[in-house]
Amino acid sequence: MAAVQWRSHGRNYDTELQRCRLEAALVDFGDYHPLKPIMVTDTKTRRGTRKGSTSSSSSSSSSAPPDPLSSMLDGTDPLSMFAAASASETPPMSHSSSTGDLGRRKREKEEEAVGPDFEPWSLKRGEILARFTTTEKLSINLFIGSDRGKATSQGSAVSEKVRTRLEELDDLEEGSQRELLNLSQQDYANRIEELNQSLKEAWSSDQKVKALKIVIQCSKLLSDNSVIQFYPSKFVLITDILDTFGRLVYDRIWTMCSDPRPLPDNFTVEDVNDTAKETCLNWFYKIASIRELLPRLYVEAAILKCNRFLNKSGIQETLPRLTAMVRGIGDPLVAAYARAYLCRVGMEVAPHLKDSLNRNFFDLLGTFRQISSENVRAQLVLQRVEMPEYLTLYSPAISWILQCIAYRAPESLLTEMMERCKKLGNNALLLNSVMRAFRPEFVAARATDFIGMIKDCDEAGFPKHLLFGSLGRSLASADPPESERLTILNEAWKVITKVRSPQDYINCAEIWVEFTCRHFTKREVNTILADIIKHMTPDRAFEDAYPQLQSVIRKILTYFHDFSVLFSMERFLPFLDMFQKDSVRVEVCKSIMEVFIKHQVELTRDPVILNAMLHICKTMHDSVNALTLEDEKRSLALLIIGFIRMVSFGRDFEQQLSFCVEARATFCNLEPVLVQLIHTVNQLAMETRRVMRGNHSRKTAAFVRACAAYSFITIPSLSSIFSRLSLYLLSGQVALANQCLSQADAFLKAAVSILPEVPRSISVEGKLRSSESFLVDFINSFLATLLVIPDHPEHGVLYLVRGLLNMVQDYTWEDNSDAKVRVYISALPLLAAMSQETYLYSIPKVDSNDTLYGGDPKFLSEINKLCETLIGQILDHLKTLGRDEQSTRRQGALAFSLFGVLLAHGDLRNNKLSQLAVNLWNLSHKHGCCETRTSVRTLEFIKHQTQQPDMTHLSDMVQRLTLQSRT
Amino acid sequence: MSVTLDIRLKRANKVYLEGETVAGVILLVCKEALQHHGISLSMEGVVNLQLSSKSVGVFEAFYNSVKPIQLISSNIEVAKAGKIPGGKTEIPFEFPLHTKGNKVLYETYHGVFVNIQYTLRCDMKRSLLAKDLSRSCEFIVHCQPQKSKVIPTPVNFTITPDTLQSREKNSLPKFLIRGHLDATNCVISLPLTGEVVVENSDVPIKSIELQLVRVETCGCAEGYARDATEIQNIQIAEGDVCHSLAIPIYMIFPRLFTCPTLETTNFKVVCGLGTAASN
């Protein structure tokens, strides 16, 4: 094909812009709004409101435009109407005698039900399991339920059945036991879990006797306190089984009476049928004949709820009886836990029966002296357990009992309880539980009293730091009287600081940090930090206390959001230095940064903050190594970026730049941070330009050049090619805006020079994707920038454009891809724009090529030559596409886009060009893969264009463009 | 061809008082129609006496079991020979619990040497080729509750080494246990209650147990045989309990194995209580 002669279509951008603008139509906003309902406004009332008359409410309601949505529904919406109707109606209940009675019962139920503010057992459970552990070997005394044959012997007479069952029970009480020795704690827990499973299995396979046996055996284990440190955990594990059993029995009896229809939740005895009652009674008889005290007590407590099936007052009578039964347990620890279980079941089944709870506690106080009996002492010696440790074993049980009592209890009862505890000797254990279980407000109000009591306690008994820990926990959530606060802190700290063991010390100190932070200033907190450092540094004690130390930091951070205050605490950074394990250190730094980003609202230049934060960020940054996960890196980078964005030196740009230099040196391993730094510096340059209103002085010019230099040397250190490319482009634009021509040139040249390095596929979110679309996008925006770049005096005309196009040509594009040609096609509009007399856009104070060449014909012909080469290339490509059947669609699309470019930017008065355009049109329509709608609209556009004065020549062409019929 | 025969009593707990009517159904489930030679139902109440090998010789105990005493016996024919349609058939029946003559209906009791048992037995006679079917079912008889209100007479007790009938009185450590029972004559359907207090004890207590004992006396040719056996033993205290603190005594009587104290010409059952504290 003969070379096409290119002529750019001359443009007058201003007039085009004028033409394109919509005609401004004035809208009177006051009158009309499409969303406003059509309504007649009563102007009189409106005037009335303006006067501020007393009837403002009525008048304003009439004048205010009603919400169209709510006006649709007249009054209340139907859903809430239904709800209201059903609420007022009493639900139909067959068994209730009268609605009044029901209402009363309902109200009672609400009163007695345990609210969400009651800390449930399930929470305590895990805590106890984690706290009471042992390395001693444990043993389980059990029968293994393999002798199934007996249980299913088919005696015809009831008596025989009963007898065999009872015999089995005896059997397993006396013989057929197997002792499992040398179990580790984990094994023990697993065994118990196995038993739990076999209980469920036995139950579901209808071996009720075996189920009962398992439960009895398990509860028997509770009387054995040979490894006493583990007892609380054992209690938890075994009561789980008891709970399961209780639930199974209850559910079974429940289903027995739900024959025609399920029982209502608040059923009465009359609703239960005889068979169910009989079964239930049988359970109770069976349990009543268990020989040993402890299993009888526990198992009956487990199925306490079943009393509901038998009679109204069953639970009410049983609880006190069981409570009294506990008196028969000699071992004080076993008894205390049995009481705790009773209280737990009581709270669950009948929370309104407070009396038995209180009875339990008073009995506990009555037998309190047992704790220091000879027997217990002998046992402790045998097991090599110290008294203080032994006493702590009680605290979960006693705390739980007290918590049940204290729940929604009147103040007077609490005071009474406290007085009773006071009277007993060696009451530290009780005191501890009182502080833990009673409402924090109650404790806080009497904090000074409590401190007095703690001081009076026996030193040899319960450890005092635990007492102060409990007190501190209460004070952390409730405030003591203002006047006492300082004394409280002083008194408490006096004791805490004397605690020898670092572990005990930090456990207690950690709790009190919260109180200190809540009520005092940085001075006191600083003192406490200093004290902690003093205690934890010897022998590197801090290594075992990271969780507590972290919690100290967390507490401080929740109360101190002002970082200048925080960092002005002398001891804060030394405190941070105690975190010497890398992972913990980074975690702490991260938590600080998170708080900083969340709460630091104002930009800062405070050197204290900056230094400290730089230190913290550096710690985080230095933790990055080759093994660090991508996600971890990203989150660290985000935190550091958050910090960098908060730094501002105001008008002191140079310092900001030097900060960036420093930051770059510090955070060189985290790419996102470097990218942010480059952005910051670019922003700095633009800020300088704004301040100088575009006229740089010698000094500012040097500064912006320094900024450009910063970016120029930082960018190559990035590994991601696309961030490099886009940053080069961006920095080039910034440099240009700041009249740093040679720098801009260098940026763009650098961008062009790394183009060949772009890989053909890049990884996006872990998946390998073709980079083509990213590259084409980048080149397009690069082209747009090239329009304003003036040619370098030492290089040839259109040096950068040629360079770019050469790179595009040499780049190894994907096979079967039109990307290269697409780039060529999009280069044409640039070249056309360059040949205009004045360019579409320009940068103030920068002379673009339009001014430099002033429309020099030589320049123009250079452009035209370039265009012709491009078009030649494009046409060649179209021809190759034509050879292949499959690529006709691509050919059509390319041809059509070239047609579009010709139409918009080519001077179609030129015959050859218009002929080319017509050919392209035909080519694109040849294979019928052109969208008809687009073609029609294009034609309409051209027809519209012909009406312009200088576009009449197009009318000839329109005649020759034919739409392809749909066949 | 399978057929099942069952007796279902109306009362779930199967407890009847004298003078009441034992009512229920005979339940027949078969797949096809069933030919039979008559179904009969009988009710029987029997006292079985067994001699203890302690009071008489082993062989005598084995052979010389005393003839059972029949308390009540009646028989009805439920259905004449004929056919029962396939499916589920329920035949209702009723027996009045009335004694003949001067016989007394004793409470159901399962002891070691004395057994008082009431059963219902249903027999279905069938042709030569098929086996006869039979099914029996025990029901429980309780006495009429006493009309007059029993006034409980509490009793106090004290146990010291001196009060024990033991040979090694002197070797025993010192202790003092006090307590009371709320009643000496207990209503059998209500639990036994009371309290025990350990006032002092030189050695730590291991366990306090409550033992329910019955004394059965059988009359036979050589006179009377009297035997005490344990019915139930439950622990009321475990370990070294707190001194001078009242520990509750509470025991539910196992209904089948205890009965109100009973004396007749031929046999006698008395229930007593023992407390054992082991050191």
Side-chain angles (χ1 to χ4, degrees):
Chain A
M1 182 184 271
V4 188
Q5 278 201 340
W6 173 267
R7 292 282 177 279
S8 297
H9 167 51
R11 307 280 286 267
N12 189 338
Y13 292 116
D14 285 341
T15 47
E16 274 181 52
L17 188 65
Q18 283 297 327
R19 229 184 293 145
C20 292
R21 273 209 186 117
L22 289 174
E23 273 181 54
L26 280 174
V27 179
D28 192 349
F29 290 106
D31 278 352
Y32 171 76
H33 189 279
L35 291 180
K36 230 177 177 183
I38 300 163
M39 57 181 278
V40 182
T41 327
D42 190 351
T43 41
K44 267 182 200 164
T45 46
R46 203 180 254 175
R47 213 172 289 145
T49 30
R50 266 192 215 121
K51 274 180 202 158
S53 68
T54 46
S55 65
S56 65
S57 68
S58 64
S59 56
S60 65
S61 68
S62 67
S63 66
D67 177 6
L69 290 178
S70 66
S71 65
M72 285 287 286
L73 310 162
D74 190 32
T76 47
D77 75 306
L79 287 179
S80 54
M81 242 153 65
F82 284 134
S86 67
S88 61
E89 234 171 72
T90 43
M93 295 268 180
S94 56
H95 64 275
S96 67
S97 46
S98 70
T99 42
D101 180 44
L102 183 80
R104 188 170 48 78
R105 212 179 297 155
K106 226 183 196 172
R107 219 176 313 123
E108 269 171 18
K109 191 152 190 200
E110 270 161 27
E111 274 167 17
E112 71 203 31
V114 179
D117 48 341
F118 185 75
E119 193 188 356
W121 174 255
S122 49
L123 285 183
K124 300 257 176 194
R125 208 185 149 267
E127 196 183 308
I128 295 176
L129 282 180
R131 200 170 132 205
F132 296 97
T133 57
T134 180
T135 50
E136 300 271 327
K137 291 296 178 194
L138 303 160
S139 64
I140 299 185
N141 251 325
L142 275 188
F143 89 104
I144 310 298
S146 56
D147 46 356
R148 223 205 103 172
K150 273 191 205 163
T152 51
S153 67
Q154 290 290 321
S156 55
V158 182
S159 64
E160 272 175 49
K161 239 186 216 167
V162 172
R163 197 176 298 160
T164 43
R165 280 188 189 171
L166 285 173
E167 269 166 17
E168 270 170 37
L169 284 181
D170 287 345
D171 187 36
L172 106 223
E173 273 167 19
E174 268 115 46
S176 80
Q177 290 189 359
R178 210 168 295 173
E179 195 165 9
L180 298 166
L181 291 168
N182 277 338
L183 293 174
S184 75
Q185 185 188 325
Q186 188 55 45
D187 291 342
Y188 194 94
N190 290 344
R191 295 293 314 185
I192 300 278
E193 180 48 34
E194 266 171 41
L195 282 173
N196 206 351
Q197 283 309 319
S198 55
L199 166 66
K200 282 182 194 159
E201 265 165 38
W203 188 268
S204 58
S205 59
D206 222 31
Q207 301 178 52
K208 306 277 154 42
V209 178
K210 185 180 169 189
L212 183 60
K213 274 186 204 170
I214 293 176
V215 175
I216 292 174
Q217 289 297 320
C218 287
S219 37
K220 235 194 239 177
L221 293 176
L222 282 175
S223 63
D224 160 45
N225 55 6
S226 52
V227 183
I228 210 160
Q229 307 93 313
F230 185 60
Y231 193 83
S233 294
K234 183 157 82 175
F235 170 78
V236 168
L237 292 172
I238 289 174
T239 47
D240 279 353
I241 294 191
L242 287 167
D243 289 344
T244 314
F245 177 71
R247 213 169 32 244
L248 288 172
V249 173
Y250 185 85
D251 289 348
R252 162 139 177 82
I253 298 175
W254 173 277
T255 44
M256 283 176 87
C257 20
S258 59
D259 193 14
R261 64 197 149 75
L263 280 179
D265 267 341
N266 48 353
F267 66 92
T268 57
V269 187
E270 290 83 55
D271 301 332
V272 182
N273 62 34
D274 284 346
T275 330
K277 268 185 196 160
E278 195 57 25
T279 318
C280 191
L281 212 53
N282 267 338
W283 278 112
F284 280 110
Y285 281 146
K286 241 174 253 176
I287 290 163
S289 66
I290 298 174
R291 210 181 84 88
E292 272 115 327
L293 173 66
L294 211 62
R296 196 167 65 241
L297 177 72
Y298 269 104
V299 180
E300 184 165 3
I303 64 164
L304 183 69
K305 203 179 174 188
C306 296
N307 271 304
R308 287 182 70 194
F309 296 112
L310 293 177
N311 45 36
K312 245 184 196 166
S313 55
I315 296 175
Q316 216 166 316
E317 287 158 8
T318 313
L319 264 179
R321 184 167 56 76
L322 293 176
T323 306
M325 234 164 115
V326 182
R327 292 173 168 201
I329 302 175
D331 189 295
L333 186 66
V334 177
Y337 276 92
R339 289 189 195 287
Y341 186 66
L342 274 185
C343 289
R344 207 185 110 200
V345 175
M347 274 311 262
E348 215 170 276
V349 176
H352 56 287
L353 297 174
K354 297 271 184 206
D355 279 348
S356 73
L357 296 176
N358 297 351
R359 278 274 302 282
N360 255 317
F361 186 64
F362 294 147
D363 270 2
L364 181 83
L365 295 184
T367 56
F368 198 69
R369 58 177 186 271
Q370 289 278 94
I371 291 179
S372 44
S373 72
E374 277 308 310
N375 235 354
V376 171
R377 278 177 203 280
Q379 207 183 14
L380 293 186
V381 171
L382 198 69
Q383 297 199 23
R384 291 191 298 273
V385 176
E386 296 286 322
M387 196 64 180
E389 192 190 347
Y390 175 67
L391 287 178
T392 52
L393 297 178
Y394 283 88
S395 52
I398 298 182
S399 298
W400 176 261
I401 297 174
L402 279 171
Q403 188 196 329
C404 292
I405 292 175
Y407 180 66
R408 291 193 183 162
E411 197 92 331
S412 55
L413 180 71
L414 298 186
T415 323
E416 190 201 333
M417 294 279 172
M418 208 173 112
E419 289 305 318
R420 277 188 186 235
C421 295
K422 240 189 213 175
K423 278 179 202 145
L424 282 172
N426 192 13
N427 56 2
L429 171 60
L430 292 172
L431 203 58
N432 183 46
S433 297
V434 165
M435 287 189 289
R436 286 200 153 207
F438 285 9
R439 286 186 285 271
E441 296 80 18
F442 179 87
V443 178
R446 292 163 182 73
T448 325
D449 286 353
F450 273 107
I451 288 185
M453 281 189 270
I454 294 173
K455 274 184 175 167
D456 294 340
C457 282
D458 184 12
E459 193 64 51
F462 203 77
K464 277 192 181 176
H465 64 91
L466 285 186
L467 291 172
F468 273 106
S470 304
L471 182 62
R473 205 161 289 151
S474 293
L475 294 182
S477 44
D479 302 339
E482 181 130 30
S483 54
E484 296 170 19
R485 286 174 191 165
L486 191 60
T487 359
I488 292 173
L489 182 64
N490 281 332
E491 288 295 336
W493 207 261
K494 228 185 270 170
V495 178
I496 296 169
T497 193
K498 278 185 202 137
V499 177
R500 285 274 170 72
S501 144
Q503 201 62 35
D504 292 343
Y505 169 82
I506 191 66
N507 279 333
C508 192
E510 176 227 329
I511 298 166
W512 279 85
V513 167
E514 173 128 20
F515 176 71
T516 320
C517 292
R518 240 168 112 100
H519 301 296
F520 299 97
T521 57
K522 68 167 192 179
R523 198 171 71 91
E524 286 80 2
V525 178
N526 193 36
T527 319
I528 284 185
L529 288 182
D531 196 53
I532 295 181
I533 294 172
K534 201 176 87 197
H535 273 82
M536 301 310 288
T537 319
D539 299 331
R540 299 176 68 81
F542 49 78
E543 281 179 344
D544 299 324
Y546 286 138
Q548 290 91 335
L549 294 175
Q550 267 178 290
S551 143
V552 169
I553 292 280
R554 254 198 311 277
K555 281 171 183 164
I556 294 178
L557 286 176
T558 29
Y559 289 98
F560 288 86
H561 290 156
D562 188 343
F563 277 77
S564 55
V565 175
L566 186 68
F567 288 125
S568 62
M569 275 183 225
E570 280 161 41
R571 291 286 153 188
F572 188 76
L573 286 181
F575 189 88
L576 286 187
D577 285 341
M578 282 203 292
F579 296 99
Q580 295 196 352
K581 193 175 156 197
D582 273 348
S583 58
V584 183
R585 205 178 160 79
V586 171
E587 218 167 287
V588 171
C589 291
K590 271 165 92 172
S591 63
I592 297 177
M593 284 310 299
E594 269 156 22
V595 175
F596 179 83
I597 290 171
K598 200 166 157 198
H599 293 287
Q600 183 74 31
V601 193
E602 284 169 20
L603 301 174
T604 180
R605 56 180 299 175
D606 184 341
V608 179
I609 297 185
L610 291 190
N611 270 331
M613 288 318 267
L614 261 180
H615 174 74
I616 290 169
C617 289
K618 186 169 161 46
T619 315
M620 292 202 291
H621 169 264
D622 292 351
S623 76
V624 173
N625 55 30
L627 295 177
T628 314
L629 294 173
E630 276 306 311
D631 279 347
E632 175 71 9
K633 274 195 209 169
R634 200 175 310 152
S635 77
L636 289 179
L638 269 181
L639 291 173
I640 298 179
I641 288 173
F643 162 60
I644 290 173
R645 287 161 72 107
M646 292 319 291
V647 177
S648 164
F649 289 88
R651 295 291 279 269
D652 194 347
F653 294 136
E654 274 176 38
Q655 196 163 359
Q656 180 107 30
L657 184 63
S658 66
F659 169 77
C660 286
V661 172
E662 196 186 339
R664 180 178 59 191
T666 321
F667 306 123
C668 55
N669 283 334
L670 288 172
E671 264 186 34
V673 180
L674 292 183
V675 172
Q676 173 63 34
L677 283 171
I678 294 166
H679 282 303
T680 310
V681 169
N682 278 336
Q683 201 185 356
L684 198 61
M686 290 314 279
E687 191 66 15
T688 319
R689 179 175 176 274
R690 195 182 60 80
V691 170
M692 299 306 288
R693 292 172 214 281
N695 299 315
H696 281 298
S697 67
R698 183 189 291 255
K699 198 175 159 197
T700 57
F703 177 72
V704 292
R705 279 200 290 277
C707 289
Y710 179 96
S711 304
F712 194 73
I713 53 174
T714 312
I715 293 171
S717 64
L718 300 175
S719 69
S720 156
I721 185 95
F722 278 103
S723 27
R724 258 190 283 166
L725 282 175
S726 57
L727 282 175
Y728 271 133
L729 180 59
L730 183 74
S731 307
Q733 286 164 349
V734 170
L736 204 61
N738 283 301
Q739 300 128 42
C740 308
L741 294 183
S742 59
Q743 278 80 0
D745 225 33
F747 277 120
L748 299 179
K749 230 189 278 176
V752 171
S753 66
I754 61 166
L755 268 183
E757 290 171 30
V758 177
R760 270 159 64 172
S761 54
I762 52 167
S763 126
V764 180
E765 284 161 3
K767 279 180 232 151
L768 221 53
R769 293 257 293 275
S770 158
S771 67
E772 193 182 278
S773 57
F774 295 97
L775 186 57
V776 171
D777 280 351
F778 171 73
I779 293 177
N780 283 343
S781 62
F782 193 85
L783 286 173
T785 311
L786 281 183
L787 177 64
V788 286
I789 308 283
D791 274 344
H792 195 281
E794 287 168 20
H795 297 290
V797 179
L798 298 178
Y799 167 69
L800 275 173
V801 180
R802 278 175 208 276
L804 179 71
L805 290 175
N806 285 339
M807 284 299 178
V808 168
Q809 190 170 24
D810 295 343
Y811 184 76
T812 44
W813 297 92
E814 271 175 64
D815 305 329
N816 280 328
S817 143
D818 304 324
K820 184 163 83 171
V821 181
R822 286 197 182 283
V823 172
Y824 287 161
I825 293 176
S826 48
L828 285 177
L830 167 74
L831 292 171
M834 280 184 152
S835 52
Q836 303 303 323
E837 256 174 61
T838 41
Y839 287 173
L840 180 55
Y841 43 84
S842 61
I843 292 172
K845 308 241 174 225
V846 174
D847 292 330
S848 296
N849 284 344
D850 53 349
T851 333
L852 288 187
Y853 294 110
D856 187 1
K858 251 164 127 188
F859 174 65
L860 291 182
S861 70
E862 201 67 35
I863 291 177
N864 289 344
K865 241 190 265 167
L866 204 52
C867 289
E868 281 151 19
T869 328
L870 287 180
I871 291 176
Q873 296 263 357
I874 298 168
L875 291 179
D876 282 349
H877 184 73
L878 284 178
K879 231 187 276 173
T880 26
L881 283 183
R883 279 189 214 122
D884 194 350
E885 276 296 310
Q886 281 151 2
S887 47
T888 45
R889 177 172 284 275
R890 276 160 59 198
Q891 189 195 34
L894 278 182
F896 195 75
S897 50
L898 184 57
F899 171 77
V901 170
L902 285 186
L903 187 65
H905 302 286
D907 187 358
L908 294 183
R909 277 171 297 201
N910 181 309
N911 274 340
K912 274 198 176 160
L913 266 191
S914 72
Q915 180 56 44
L916 178 63
V918 172
N919 287 347
L920 284 171
W921 173 272
N922 290 336
L923 182 63
S924 63
H925 284 76
K926 196 163 105 190
H927 300 289
C929 31
C930 217
E931 223 184 312
T932 325
R933 210 156 49 138
T934 325
S935 312
V936 172
R937 296 195 71 173
T938 315
L939 275 184
E940 272 170 17
F941 168 74
I942 300 173
K943 276 177 194 155
H944 181 74
Q945 287 281 306
T946 50
Q947 287 158 17
Q948 305 295 334
D950 51 346
M951 291 290 187
T952 41
H953 57 279
L954 284 180
S955 53
D956 296 344
M957 202 177 76
V958 179
Q959 306 293 318
R960 294 159 64 193
L961 300 180
T962 49
L963 267 180
Q964 196 184 28
S965 59
R966 271 177 176 273
T967 41
Chain B
M1 189 175 65
S2 68
V3 55
T4 54
L5 182 66
D6 202 4
I7 303 173
R8 295 263 166 92
L9 289 174
K10 256 189 193 161
R11 283 192 198 165
N13 58 3
K14 299 181 178 174
V15 173
Y16 295 89
L17 302 179
E18 188 178 350
E20 286 185 326
T21 306
V22 181
V25 289
I26 295 168
L27 186 70
L28 281 157
V29 183
C30 50
K31 279 185 185 148
E32 301 159 26
L34 179 75
Q35 192 78 41
H36 68 97
H37 292 226
I39 303 172
S40 65
L41 185 68
S42 64
M43 176 175 73
E44 205 166 45
V46 181
V47 180
N48 278 307
L49 297 176
Q50 169 88 43
L51 292 178
S52 159
S53 55
K54 263 188 258 169
S55 42
V56 295
V58 180
F59 291 103
E60 275 123 322
F62 191 72
Y63 292 112
N64 275 8
S65 54
V66 184
K67 231 181 122 187
I69 305 162
Q70 201 168 53
L71 297 176
I72 191 168
S73 171
S74 55
N75 206 336
I76 45 170
E77 187 171 36
V78 178
K80 289 216 171 71
K83 246 190 172 180
I84 293 171
K88 203 164 133 182
T89 314
E90 283 187 355
I91 309 170
F93 64 85
E94 280 189 353
F95 276 109
L97 262 180
H98 283 304
T99 48
K100 276 177 200 148
N102 57 354
K103 280 184 179 164
V104 186
L105 282 184
Y106 303 123
E107 287 208 348
T108 300
Y109 167 71
H110 295 275
V112 183
F113 306 110
V114 179
N115 261 308
I116 306 173
Q117 196 174 16
Y118 295 84
T119 46
L120 281 172
R121 184 184 162 91
C122 176
D123 288 298
M124 179 198 261
K125 290 204 182 65
R126 291 208 276 175
S127 59
L128 284 172
L129 292 171
K131 253 205 265 174
D132 290 354
L133 285 174
S134 103
R135 178 92 185 170
S136 60
C137 156
E138 181 177 6
F139 66 94
I140 295 155
V141 173
H142 281 181
C143 290
Q144 292 283 5
Q146 272 173 310
K147 294 283 180 329
S148 61
K149 187 105 175 148
V150 186
I151 299 136
T153 47
V155 62
N156 290 318
F157 59 85
T158 312
I159 311 173
T160 62
D162 297 333
T163 61
L164 293 180
Q165 299 172 341
S166 169
R167 264 151 276 154
E168 319 131 24
K169 248 180 215 181
N170 299 329
S171 63
L172 285 177
K174 268 192 186 170
F175 64 85
L176 171 62
I177 294 169
R178 254 196 261 277
H180 70 268
L181 289 175
D182 291 336
T184 43
N185 288 327
C186 307
V187 184
I188 194 152
S189 53
L190 294 180
L192 168 84
T193 53
E195 276 180 346
V196 60
V197 182
V198 180
E199 294 292 352
N200 57 58
S201 166
D202 278 0
V203 288
I205 290 174
K206 273 200 187 124
S207 173
I208 300 178
E209 277 162 31
L210 200 63
Q211 194 180 30
L212 183 66
V213 177
R214 62 191 158 196
V215 180
E216 291 165 317
T217 313
C218 300
C220 66
E222 291 89 30
Y224 288 98
R226 197 180 128 109
D227 283 287
T229 42
E230 177 192 295
I231 306 173
Q232 179 167 276
N233 187 348
I234 62 171
Q235 192 184 35
I236 55 168
E238 187 189 19
D240 192 13
V241 289
C242 197
H243 292 182
S244 49
L245 181 77
I247 296 159
I249 293 173
Y250 182 90
M251 181 191 269
I252 295 176
F253 296 115
R255 202 62 177 88
L256 278 177
F257 308 107
T258 42
C259 69
T261 299
L262 180 68
E263 270 186 70
T264 66
T265 44
N266 287 344
F267 64 93
K268 175 164 131 180
V269 181
V270 181
C271 291
L273 196 67
T275 312
S278 54
N279 297 328

